[in-house]
Amino acid sequence: MLILGIDPGTAVTGYGVVRTGTSFELVECGVIRTRPEQALPERLKDIAEGVRELLARHKPGAMAVEDVFYARNVRTTLVLGHARGVILLAGAEAGVPIHEYAPADIKKAVVGTGAATKTQVQFMLTKLLRLKAAPQPADAADGVAAALTCAMRLPLERAVAGVRGRARGGR
Amino acid sequence: MLILGIDPGTAVTGYGVVRTGTSFELVECGVIRTRPEQALPERLKDIAEGVRELLARHKPGAMAVEDVFYARNVRTTLVLGHARGVILLAGAEAGVPIHEYAPADIKKAVVGTGAATKTQVQFMLTKLLRLKAAPQPADAADGVAAALTCAMRLPLERAVAGVRGRARGGR
């Protein structure tokens, strides 16, 4: 199964496609860039089109979207919410199950600690995916990390859902 | 020309369609409701579909979208940003010019003061559109107010753009 991981951004949205199976394999990674001189609605259109193209081409079985980092600037958070909204919409319209992970969850899954640095995340991505170098640019690496988190967590999440399902079924 | 006004919300998105000309006329107003038990991506899909349907049916010449009110809760602001993002996307994909207004701008345009109460806004909407009663529910009234703000401001905004265009052209 393929997993599409996305790190939302208004200017740069990073993505990574990871294949799961007996091991993890990086299929593709990159960024969707929008032009700063364009108005927000046009930039949202470019982001939505980029994500739809990835969904259509790879037909992933799951999509992992990083939660927006909020705190520093409320206006920035709000605008990021716009970008994230059209990304979730593209996933919902493609009928792909969407998993959302906080930045700390991703760091914990990939490195083992929620306080990991970007360099540590990139180092672990290189090891886990047996790459020669960390995915470039950094935003693409964040998309790959989201996909990898989903790949590592899905078996557990499915097992838990199964146990809950059986518990509800009274078996 | 018709103007579609929208007050974005994750649970309830209000809208109003206003016809401009020698006077202002309310064509339609209402709300797009989403189900709280649904996941955010599905709710965003319902909002996007609702707005697209309005755009396709009315073919407005402009769209007015209220700015999200931010401050109280950053998480709420972020989620509202998601809803607003898919609304702007629907407008951009329909090729409709989008005008964004802060809540205070809308109150100022409709009532004359940015500190107007909801009741004052509803009273003025009733007068300006010659209605028997204020548009219901309240979220629909906010959409109507956004459309009316755009209807009142567009002639001025276009005149200003024209002056700037001529100034740039050296004429």
Side-chain angles (χ1 to χ4, degrees), chain B residues 110-112 116-136 141-142 144-145 148:
Chain B
V110 175
V111 182
T117 63
K118 275 207 178 280
T119 312
Q120 288 175 312
V121 170
Q122 288 173 357
F123 176 83
M124 285 306 296
L125 287 181
T126 312
K127 292 291 161 196
L128 290 164
L129 295 164
R130 301 171 310 286
L131 307 172
K132 288 182 180 148
Q136 286 296 332
D142 290 338
V144 175
L148 195 58

Side-chain angles (χ1 to χ4, degrees), chain B residues 9-159:
Chain B
T10 322
V12 184
T13 288
Y15 69 86
V17 180
V18 168
R19 190 186 309 278
T20 64
T22 49
S23 68
F24 303 124
E25 184 199 335
L26 180 61
V27 176
E28 178 183 331
C29 71
V31 294
I32 301 164
R33 279 185 207 280
T34 63
R35 283 173 285 161
E37 68 273 20
Q38 281 200 309
L40 182 58
E42 291 302 317
R43 299 178 84 169
L44 295 173
K45 200 171 136 186
D46 289 346
I47 295 167
E49 279 170 7
V51 174
R52 283 181 196 145
E53 188 275 327
L54 289 168
L55 288 165
R57 189 152 51 84
H58 292 288
K59 297 185 178 50
M63 187 166 152
V65 184
E66 186 166 340
D67 263 353
V68 165
F69 201 115
Y70 49 90
R72 275 177 295 184
N73 180 319
V74 186
R75 181 79 207 166
T76 308
T77 305
L78 175 62
V79 176
L80 266 171
H82 286 61
R84 201 166 180 279
V86 306
I87 292 164
L88 295 184
L89 176 67
E93 290 186 331
V96 179
I98 299 172
H99 302 262
E100 307 181 42
Y101 301 107
D105 293 337
I106 294 175
K107 288 174 182 171
K108 191 158 191 344
V110 175
V111 182
T113 161
T117 63
K118 275 207 178 280
T119 312
Q120 288 175 312
V121 170
Q122 288 173 357
F123 176 83
M124 285 306 296
L125 287 181
T126 312
K127 292 291 161 196
L128 290 164
L129 295 164
R130 301 171 310 286
L131 307 172
K132 288 182 180 148
Q136 286 296 332
D139 295 282
D142 290 338
V144 175
L148 195 58
T149 299
C150 186
M152 292 193 284
R153 282 207 179 186
L154 258 191
L156 179 65
E157 286 178 14
R158 282 179 176 169

Side-chain angles (χ1 to χ4, degrees), chain A residues 25-66:
Chain A
E25 183 197 338
L26 180 61
V27 176
E28 179 183 329
C29 71
V31 294
I32 301 163
R33 281 186 204 280
T34 64
R35 283 173 285 161
E37 69 272 20
Q38 281 201 310
L40 183 58
E42 291 301 317
R43 299 178 83 170
L44 295 173
K45 200 171 134 186
D46 288 346
I47 295 168
E49 280 170 7
V51 174
R52 284 181 195 143
E53 188 275 326
L54 289 168
L55 287 165
R57 189 152 50 85
H58 292 287
K59 298 185 177 51
M63 187 166 151
V65 184
E66 185 165 342

